[in-house]
Amino acid sequence: MKRQKKAKLSSVQIIALGFFIMIGAGTALLMLPVSSQGPGGASFGDALFAATSASCVTGLVPQDTGTYWSVFGQTVLILLIQVGGLGFMSIATLFLLLLRRRLGLRQREVVVDSISYNQLGGFVPFIRLVFLGTALAEGLGAALLAIRFVPRMGWAKGIYYGVWHSVSAFCNAGFDLMGPCSGEYSSFTAYAGDPLVSLTICALILVGGTGFLVWDDLARNKLRWRRYRLQTKVVLTVNLVLTLGGGALFFFLERNNLGAGKPLGEQVLCALFDAVTPRTAGFNSTDTGALTSGSLLLTIILMFIGGSPGSTAGGVKTTTVFVILLHAFSGVRRERGANAFGRSIGDSALKKATAVVYTNLLLALAGAVAICAIQELPAAAALFETFSAIGTAGMTMGITRDLVPASRAIIIFLMYCGRVGSISFAVALLEKKATPPVTLPREDITIG
């Protein structure tokens, strides 16, 4: 009898397994007594939740990061954030390149899938660009934040805080260490009117969430708009609309609420911060729980959209929403195809976009229903929490630490799906050998 060949894991399965192993290792390290400031180590539940949130660059925390975890524990978290943000396969590739090891075809395929690159050739220079760009952005961000932190905290702590928060912001993680300085779970509320801190954090979030493919296009073509790829044009356009449009909406929605009595400049900064941070970063410069109903709904929408493909951000992605809206408008106008920036977008992109949106939407809604069935919580808070988890946004209305173990398990699962990709996670579990396509009889149904 011929020996059956061992089934090889697909790229998607390797990525899903890699995140699972990374979360497990992080959980084990965070349970060590040296990881927490209090006596004894963290419980398995707290360690697992924090490790998942960090690896999936979410930002939801069961304990205040700055007051609960020791420097060792904080270092573990920031390393998980950095690796989770860039992708563990990208990190592994960097080490192989530094050791001057050649990459096989199989390794290239996995790396290409992990960073959403669109071809096997030329990705080594692309990987170099990713890491050089990351080092430059995080280094510049750390230096700017240190300008504010060093005079208030001293050299050692100021530089440490600058580097730590720069990495967290660039990776769209939303973890912060501000508890000892301005109170537990305070995030950047103490810096709401500080242009240097607010704008630096916003810039890091946007740069990290723009996508490495867009970086590559911008590096190659500089400011020549006509030469940009369609994806670059879509990402830059949608980012501009969401940032400026979202900021304007937050400004008007909160002008008589959280913005009342504040100087105009601080209101503008807070509105801009509120528009940028839901794009899966998770920081806040205002009290999220005190936002108006309109602002909370707008925040959920922005968390659901998230950043762009091949970036450190989560969400269903800007290009996904753009494709769906473009096809919707084309259908209303009875146009033959969906066209944008002189290019046509095919139906295959629409099918994938629709699958991503509805899968994430159903997971978030089902998670909220399940949490409300498990424990008595306001429906709005539960929905906010599940959309934050599936979008890896990390924002909360203050119920994260009140979740019972079963509810926490739901949030952990949603964070994992949000980072790996809900569709990818399903594929990783169900993937099997392709079968010959069979077309069933076609029959139309009434739509709308």
Side-chain angles (χ1 to χ4, degrees), residues 87-382:
F88 65 93
M89 285 305 303
S90 301
I91 303 292
T93 302
L94 176 64
F95 280 109
L96 290 175
L97 293 176
L98 292 175
L99 295 172
R100 299 185 181 279
R101 296 279 299 275
R102 295 191 65 181
L103 299 176
L105 180 61
R106 179 66 176 155
Q107 292 169 313
R108 288 171 180 262
E109 288 176 349
V110 177
V111 176
V112 163
D113 285 340
S114 70
I115 58 178
S116 299
Y117 196 48
N118 52 7
Q119 58 188 21
L120 287 175
F123 88 101
V124 172
F126 177 73
I127 287 290
R128 292 197 183 102
L129 172 68
V130 169
F131 282 98
L132 287 175
T134 298
L136 179 62
E138 291 180 350
L140 182 59
L144 291 173
L145 292 175
I147 292 174
R148 182 67 72 240
F149 294 154
V150 167
R152 299 182 181 183
M153 305 173 186
W155 281 99
K157 188 175 181 180
I159 293 174
Y160 174 67
Y161 267 50
V163 172
W164 209 97
H165 290 98
S166 180
V167 173
S168 182
F170 176 83
C171 291
N172 279 233
F175 280 73
D176 70 87
L177 305 178
M178 293 301 170
C181 305
S182 49
E184 294 185 351
Y185 309 104
S186 60
S187 192
F188 285 98
T189 52
Y191 296 89
D194 191 321
L196 178 61
V197 173
S198 293
L199 294 179
T200 299
I201 295 294
C202 286
L204 287 167
I205 293 168
L206 290 173
V207 171
T210 296
F212 304 131
L213 288 172
V214 176
W215 288 15
D216 181 57
D217 203 12
L218 294 175
R220 291 173 183 271
N221 297 304
K222 306 300 187 259
L223 298 176
R224 289 170 288 192
W225 175 265
R226 291 184 178 180
R227 294 191 180 184
Y228 291 161
R229 302 186 190 104
L230 176 61
Q231 177 164 321
T232 301
K233 293 177 180 179
V234 170
V235 167
L236 294 179
T237 301
V238 175
N239 275 344
L240 183 65
V241 170
L242 292 179
T243 301
L244 297 183
L249 285 173
F250 274 115
F251 179 83
F252 287 109
L253 287 169
E254 295 298 323
R255 70 187 187 282
N256 295 322
N257 184 37
L258 295 181
K262 291 182 179 179
L264 179 61
E266 185 172 341
Q267 290 186 49
V268 172
L269 276 178
C270 289
L272 178 64
F273 201 95
D274 286 343
V276 171
T277 193
R279 306 282 303 287
T280 84
F283 298 113
N284 60 283
S285 61
T286 54
D287 183 3
T288 304
L291 292 172
T292 62
S293 297
S295 293
L296 289 173
L297 183 58
L298 178 58
T299 301
I300 289 176
I301 294 171
L302 292 175
M303 290 194 297
F304 188 70
I305 295 172
S308 302
S311 72
T312 62
V316 297
K317 305 296 188 293
T318 52
T319 50
T320 301
V321 174
F322 180 85
V323 166
I324 289 178
L325 291 177
L326 185 65
H327 274 270
F329 286 129
S330 298
V332 170
R333 295 175 180 176
R334 298 186 179 275
E335 296 176 348
R336 287 188 176 182
N339 305 313
F341 302 106
R343 294 290 184 271
S344 176
I345 300 177
D347 291 338
S348 60
L350 174 63
K351 290 180 180 179
K352 186 175 181 180
T354 304
V356 170
V357 166
Y358 281 104
T359 302
N360 282 268
L361 184 62
L362 287 173
L363 283 171
L365 293 175
V369 171
I371 289 175
C372 288
I374 292 168
Q375 61 183 121
E376 196 66 35
L377 287 172

